[in-house]
Amino acid sequence: MKSLFTAVALAVMLPVVALAAETAQVGKPAPAFTLKDESGKEHSLSQYKGKVVVLEWTNPGCPFVQRHYTAGTMQKTLAGFDANKVVWLAVDSTAANTPDKSAAWRKEKGFSYPVLQDPSGTVGKSYNAKTTPHMYVIDEQGVVRYAGAIDDDPRGNKKTGVTNHVKTAVDALLSGKPVPAATTEPYGCSVKYKS
Amino acid sequence: MTQRPVRRSSWGALFFFAALGLCLGSGVARAQLPATAMGTGAPDQGDPRVEAALLTDVSQVKPGDSFRIGVRFRMDPGWHIYWKNPGDSGLASEIVWDTPGTTVGELQWPTPITFRSPDGFITSYGYGEEVLLFAQAHVSDKLTGSAQLSAAADILVCETRCLPAQLMLTRNIPLGSETRPDPEHAPLFDEALSRVPVTPESSGHVVTLALDTKPLTAGRPFTGTLTVTGPKGQPVPAVEKDFFVPERVRGLARLALSPVEGKPGTFKLEGETAPDVPEQEPRFVGVLRLGPASVGRPSLTLDLPLAPVVAAEPGAAGAAPVVKPAPAPKPPAVVATAVAPESSLSLGLVLLFAFLGGALLNLMPCVFPVLALKAYGFTRTVHAERGKVVLHAVAYAGGIIGSLLALALAVLALRAGGHSVGWGFQFQEPLFVAAVAAVLVAFALNLFGVFTVGTDGTALVEKVDSSHGLARSAGEGVLAVVLATPCSAPLLGTAVGFALAAGPATVLATFFMLGLGLALPFCLLVLVPGLAKLLPKPGAWMERGKQLLGFALLGTTVWLVWVMGGLTGVDGMARLLAFLAVVGLGAWLYGLAQGSTGARKAAGVAAVVAVLAVGGVFSLRFEETGPAVRKASAVGEAQPWDEAAVAAALEAGQPVFIDFTADWCLTCKFNERTVLTREDVQAAFAEHRVAFFVADWTRRDARISSKLAEFGRAGVPMYLVVSPVSPDKPEVLPELLTSDTVIDAVRRASKRMADAR
């Protein structure tokens, strides 16, 4: 009974909290959220306090996301971090997405992190997520420290010298330095929000 | 416009169709387009969503001639490609040319349309249906045979889904003895060109941007007003939906315009800076669509300077409950032009500047009459009452410092009332000018012997009573200050500018040091024993010298009358002269009364008061004339200062010289007459096409006050030299100009421009 009450309260409160926090802004606290992943497990941003959290807005149907997953950009970036200090969460705000699709995508590409389900788009909009991929890096205190593109190669045709903005941001945070470029222009498909 | 062909379902169909066209000769020009110049992309379940063609506006070109080259994209219904700023999502269309022997210029982008997701959350900019992205091309005159043209297009084609497409298009254009337009495609280029935005200058529009706050703060929203006036001042039409498309601007997170209700041509600007301080000052860049091109209303391409961005103060404005110290904000790359170095002055340095500035004021033309007067007074005192010399010096210094502190308090009071004031501000007030002129005339008449002060009018020199002498010394100190304020000495502008922006204690301390500096020469005269003895001995010459000094004061009055003319026009000048005549009459009557006793004396004094009161009431009514009555500047070709006009001149590649001046500022007038109007300076201005602006601060002008404050100054003169290459970094010239300083600065501004080319 008590847990039911909590669940109802949470369900009522959640959008309010998201609204109260307005949208994610670099230098401000990240909007709180609780979302289920493709296996039904709940993830709250607050439970990862003390770790650097990378949020990746994703959509398996987007050619830009496909390109990066084929090249292993996200997987390799995560592999370069200390697993005890960095958490990676994919978020799919595509209205037409289902947990099954995410599960199949995860299996096909073989990545370890969960795909949070946000078909209503509430969390996506609270983060002002506009593209897939759209990346956010949140520091140990829950403050947004980076928002933007995964790298500086929108066309995927740079042979060398690609800067991975997420890697740069996380490395800076872990070594206690300011993030060199706190925002970049994200590129990719638009997030297909429910309308 | 050619009619949109039906969608082809596969490559095979395309080739079939093209082959059919060739066989039937259905269109000569269409038939000339080789298959390699056409392509399709973004296959959607085998069905291409876009087709592209490499077009030129010529069918043959003469070596050395120019032509236009472009790629025409045709999208399926509902699908679109992107503008150079794709907006919230998408990818800018890109065309890479490979044209040996032919140089291709910058890609021309017709004004895009705005796409919104159904919920309005995501906005992007691009082209649906059909668009021709083109550029000017120039064939080398050494090229023979044919010009090989190839274009690699990298585009993203989106509906709800997005499909990337890379297309490679090639063709050859034959070279010949003459350039022949392509009758089918040339009109397509003309049509596309009519959709490309034009600069406001080329279309006769005037665009100005005024920000509500400057500088901008990183990560914060800002607002402003954009106004657009049509050619010859005609109003611009009301705009339709989605009339503005911003370009991607480094340092800005958001940029939006909304029309102001009932005011066509006026737009509210709302933007937000990125959280990082950008290396360069961001600009306002975008396209403003004034109406459909089909009715002859152009789109304007806007590129206006915004303002420098400074870092937000750490921990300010709603920062999160951050436990760990937030990463130190980067020091602002370039803080508001010249303010940075001056604002970083330490208080000690400012006080030193104030002291030195005050001392230098003694050499300024405004203080000179008092200086002479004081020298005269000292000559008498030094020899008559040696013991009291120090007391006189203290009284003189006290008068100076006391009146400066009073001035500081007045400044603080005005500032507390929300007024913006600067050094010399009181000369913007006609009544103040009239009062100073009246005091000077009365003083002169006193020196002429029309009346005497404080004694019964006999044996003035012999009966100098010490208290009167001291009061007089103090009064001379006050007069020195009153006359010194219109002269801004070097260093003084900086010090006072700093002080006026600081707290009350700093203001008082700075003005105090200023007073010490101003009093310094006489204190030296007294404190160094040998110096005072060098003064000539008193004698009969003193009476004549005294009268001569009276004329020096009248000379100063002439200048004040002229100042009044600038403030209030010819009428004001006449009123002031009438008032001064009344003052003269009053002084004369007072002098008469001094000679009598009892009731007659009382009646005389009453008559003086009556004359002054009546005369004052009738003459002291000054109406400030409108700003329209501006005198021609001492410098030819000068324009009144205006931010928009300055921006326009810079835009046109002209170096800009701005003269911040005022009629009552003698240093300004001195510079203008002795330096700025010199032939070599004028020649340098002409040679470098310098746009000369005059910011006249004779009367109150908040725009000028705030501009002065931007450079840490509280008063005029100030001279700015701006290079079109770095409009955000004007060079500030010293208060006292020399022709070399000016010519060198102008050369530098112009040279930087030459270097940048």
Side-chain angles (χ1 to χ4, degrees):
Chain A
M1 189 59 199
K2 198 184 173 190
S3 63
L4 180 70
F5 179 75
T6 314
V8 170
L10 256 180
V12 173
M13 290 302 290
L14 197 64
V16 179
V17 169
L19 277 179
E22 290 184 344
T23 53
Q25 273 185 297
V26 172
K28 302 247 172 91
F33 62 81
T34 303
L35 289 175
K36 284 183 178 169
D37 68 16
E38 79 291 342
S39 66
K41 193 181 157 211
E42 277 197 351
H43 297 259
S44 294
L45 181 62
S46 54
Q47 79 192 62
Y48 297 112
K49 208 149 196 179
K51 293 190 179 190
V52 171
V53 179
V54 178
L55 297 182
E56 170 206 339
W57 257 263
T58 193
N59 171 11
C62 169
F64 288 83
V65 173
Q66 289 165 356
R67 165 160 74 77
H68 280 301
Y69 272 87
T70 304
T73 313
M74 309 301 174
Q75 302 93 311
K76 282 180 198 162
T77 306
L78 176 59
F81 299 139
D82 183 339
N84 295 320
K85 292 181 178 165
V86 180
V87 176
W88 191 291
L89 302 171
V91 186
D92 194 332
S93 297
T94 311
N97 184 45
T98 59
D100 290 349
K101 280 190 194 170
S102 293
W105 170 248
R106 208 182 135 175
K107 197 175 165 200
E108 180 193 336
K109 295 299 174 189
F111 56 90
S112 58
Y113 44 87
V115 183
L116 308 189
Q117 307 292 300
D118 179 37
S120 70
T122 317
V123 175
K125 287 186 178 175
S126 78
Y127 274 80
N128 217 16
K130 302 236 165 141
T131 67
T132 50
H134 198 157
M135 311 298 299
Y136 296 84
V137 177
I138 301 164
D139 73 9
E140 293 96 325
Q141 275 72 43
V143 176
V144 180
R145 291 297 176 198
Y146 173 77
I150 173 73
D151 59 24
D152 61 353
D153 185 21
R155 291 171 201 285
N157 56 9
K158 274 198 185 181
K159 301 279 185 290
T160 53
V162 176
T163 302
N164 185 319
H165 294 309
V166 170
K167 180 162 173 47
T168 310
V170 173
D171 286 346
L173 285 178
L174 290 180
S175 56
K177 289 180 191 147
V179 175
T183 52
T184 60
E185 288 285 350
Y187 63 86
C189 313
S190 56
V191 178
K192 314 302 181 208
Y193 284 111
K194 182 180 166 186
S195 50
Chain B
M1 288 283 283
T2 48
Q3 204 192 338
R4 220 188 116 70
V6 287
R7 204 173 84 200
R8 294 159 197 85
S9 59
S10 69
W11 278 90
L14 173 69
F15 284 130
F16 175 76
F17 192 84
L20 194 68
L22 269 172
C23 296
L24 299 178
S26 60
V28 179
R30 169 93 39 93
Q32 284 172 348
L33 209 57
T36 55
M38 297 188 287
T40 62
D44 185 19
Q45 289 148 19
D47 191 6
R49 293 297 178 188
V50 64
E51 60 181 50
L54 178 59
L55 305 182
T56 57
D57 68 346
V58 292
S59 55
Q60 174 182 302
V61 67
K62 182 180 159 201
D65 266 10
S66 293
F67 65 100
R68 287 176 292 188
I69 183 169
V71 178
R72 180 189 60 197
F73 298 96
R74 283 174 167 165
M75 279 64 69
D76 271 0
W79 292 76
H80 60 263
I81 62 171
Y82 292 92
W83 189 50
K84 56 184 164 181
N85 170 15
D88 287 335
S89 68
L91 187 68
S93 304
E94 187 183 87
I95 298 174
V96 177
W97 305 102
D98 182 12
T99 53
T102 304
T103 51
V104 179
E106 205 181 322
L107 202 61
Q108 302 292 305
W109 301 83
T111 304
I113 51 176
T114 302
F115 301 96
R116 284 207 173 75
S117 58
D119 56 0
F121 190 66
I122 294 171
T123 306
S124 47
Y125 312 111
Y127 310 99
E129 300 192 8
E130 176 173 323
V131 68
L132 175 60
L133 302 181
F134 67 99
Q136 282 287 332
H138 182 80
V139 189
S140 160
D141 51 9
K142 302 200 173 53
L143 201 63
T144 53
S146 67
Q148 296 168 28
L149 310 172
S150 82
D154 187 346
I155 53 174
L156 183 68
V157 197
C158 294
E159 180 206 32
T160 318
R161 282 157 297 150
C162 289
L163 304 167
Q166 282 89 33
L167 297 146
M168 180 59 84
L169 310 167
T170 62
R171 65 185 291 189
N172 289 349
I173 295 289
L175 300 175
S177 57
E178 62 169 359
T179 297
R180 283 195 207 124
D182 180 317
E184 184 186 350
H185 295 138
L188 297 183
F189 282 91
D190 292 340
E191 209 264 343
L193 180 64
S194 74
R195 292 174 185 274
V196 172
V198 295
T199 60
E201 292 78 37
S202 65
S203 59
H205 288 79
V206 177
V207 181
T208 50
L209 177 64
L211 289 178
D212 294 335
T213 46
K214 287 187 210 180
L216 307 177
T217 310
R220 299 279 167 76
F222 60 89
T223 54
T225 307
L226 182 92
T227 47
V228 183
T229 332
K232 298 181 199 124
Q234 74 197 50
V236 298
V239 290
E240 296 156 21
K241 198 168 176 284
D242 296 329
F243 61 92
F244 177 67
V245 202
E247 277 195 35
R248 272 191 179 170
V249 183
R250 274 188 181 279
L252 292 190
R254 188 164 59 86
L255 195 61
L257 280 186
S258 52
V260 173
E261 200 69 36
K263 278 185 173 173
T266 306
F267 304 93
K268 182 165 171 54
L269 165 71
E270 286 172 286
E272 188 176 324
T273 47
D276 295 313
V277 174
E279 280 167 27
Q280 280 189 332
E281 187 177 312
R283 295 180 73 84
F284 174 100
V285 195
V287 171
L288 186 67
R289 188 158 51 89
L290 294 176
S294 53
V295 296
R297 287 178 190 161
S299 293
L300 300 181
T301 172
L302 305 180
D303 185 359
L304 303 160
L306 276 169
V309 176
V310 296
E313 282 171 31
V322 184
V323 184
K324 191 173 91 174
K330 279 201 278 183
V334 181
V335 189
T337 52
V339 179
E342 298 195 8
S343 299
S344 61
L345 291 176
S346 71
L347 181 61
L349 203 56
V350 165
L351 293 180
L352 181 66
F353 277 11
F355 180 75
L356 293 177
L360 282 172
L361 263 183
N362 283 291
L363 302 178
M364 292 288 144
C366 3
V367 194
F368 219 73
V370 193
L371 202 76
L373 201 67
K374 197 67 208 137
Y376 159 75
F378 257 74
T379 307
R380 192 186 59 207
T381 323
V382 160
H383 296 279
E385 334 170 36
R386 232 156 264 187
K388 295 216 169 82
V389 161
V390 177
L391 279 179
H392 276 280
V394 169
Y396 176 71
I400 286 180
I401 292 168
S403 50
L404 272 172
L405 288 182
L407 185 62
L409 289 174
V411 164
L412 289 174
L414 281 172
R415 207 173 61 175
H419 296 276
S420 153
V421 292
W423 185 244
F425 71 96
Q426 67 274 45
F427 279 87
Q428 294 169 346
E429 182 53 60
L431 282 178
F432 180 84
V433 176
V436 175
V439 168
L440 285 175
V441 167
F443 218 134
L445 293 176
N446 170 243
L447 294 176
F448 294 151
V450 171
F451 68 100
T452 55
V453 179
T455 67
D456 59 6
T458 54
L460 173 68
V461 182
E462 289 75 18
K463 285 193 162 182
V464 179
D465 132 290
S466 62
S467 69
H468 152 240
L470 287 180
R472 191 188 176 108
S473 284
E476 282 165 352
V478 173
L479 194 64
V481 169
V482 166
L483 290 175
T485 43
C487 278
S488 178
L491 305 175
L492 190 66
T494 306
V496 175
F498 176 90
L500 290 183
T506 310
V507 174
L508 290 173
T510 307
F511 276 71
F512 180 81
M513 290 307 285
L514 190 58
L516 278 188
L518 189 52
L520 176 77
F522 287 97
C523 295
L524 277 183
L525 208 61
V526 172
L527 297 175
V528 181
L531 278 184
K533 295 203 176 88
L534 293 178
L535 290 172
K537 291 202 183 333
W541 67 268
M542 284 182 64
E543 192 57 27
R544 288 191 294 277
K546 196 179 76 167
Q547 284 163 3
L548 190 63
L549 278 175
F551 287 102
L553 292 182
L554 285 185
T556 313
T557 313
V558 169
W559 162 65
L560 283 173
V561 168
W562 182 74
V563 167
M564 182 65 98
L567 278 172
T568 62
V570 179
D571 286 0
M573 263 166 94
R575 282 177 190 281
L576 176 61
L577 286 170
F579 175 63
L580 294 180
V582 169
V583 168
L585 179 64
W588 178 73
L589 284 174
Y590 182 71
L592 286 185
Q594 279 184 319
S596 48
T597 51
R600 286 192 63 177
K601 183 170 181 178
V605 172
V608 171
V609 172
V611 162
L612 285 179
V614 173
V617 164
F618 280 99
S619 57
L620 289 176
R621 275 181 293 179
F622 302 108
E623 288 166 22
E624 292 190 28
T625 47
V629 195
R630 292 302 333 143
K631 307 159 294 296
S633 159
V635 183
E637 301 290 313
Q639 320 173 39
W641 174 72
D642 181 275
E643 292 274 31
V646 169
L650 291 170
E651 194 83 351
Q654 286 182 274
V656 165
F657 188 99
I658 314 174
D659 173 15
F660 290 84
T661 181
D663 282 353
W664 38 262
C665 163
L666 288 191
T667 315
C668 307
K669 295 296 145 195
F670 181 80
N671 283 332
E672 276 163 25
R673 284 178 208 242
T674 58
V675 177
L676 295 179
T677 46
R678 265 175 68 130
E679 270 181 26
D680 53 347
V681 174
Q682 284 292 297
F685 281 164
E687 183 194 337
H688 300 292
R689 297 194 312 123
V690 173
F692 190 96
F693 291 92
V694 174
D696 190 329
W697 205 47
T698 301
R699 287 175 232 167
R700 282 179 291 273
D701 187 328
R703 287 179 317 143
I704 294 176
S705 307
S706 64
K707 195 76 193 172
L708 292 168
E710 213 176 285
F711 290 88
R713 295 296 180 83
V716 288
M718 179 170 85
Y719 303 98
L720 295 184
V721 182
V722 199
S723 168
V725 182
S726 50
D728 47 337
K729 290 193 199 67
E731 183 178 349
V732 187
L733 302 187
E735 278 96 342
L736 270 181
L737 294 179
T738 67
S739 57
D740 288 347
T741 322
V742 176
I743 293 170
D744 288 351
V746 165
R747 272 203 194 121
R748 271 194 300 279
S750 175
K751 181 170 182 298
R752 273 192 276 171
M753 189 169 63
D755 292 345
R757 280 208 181 109

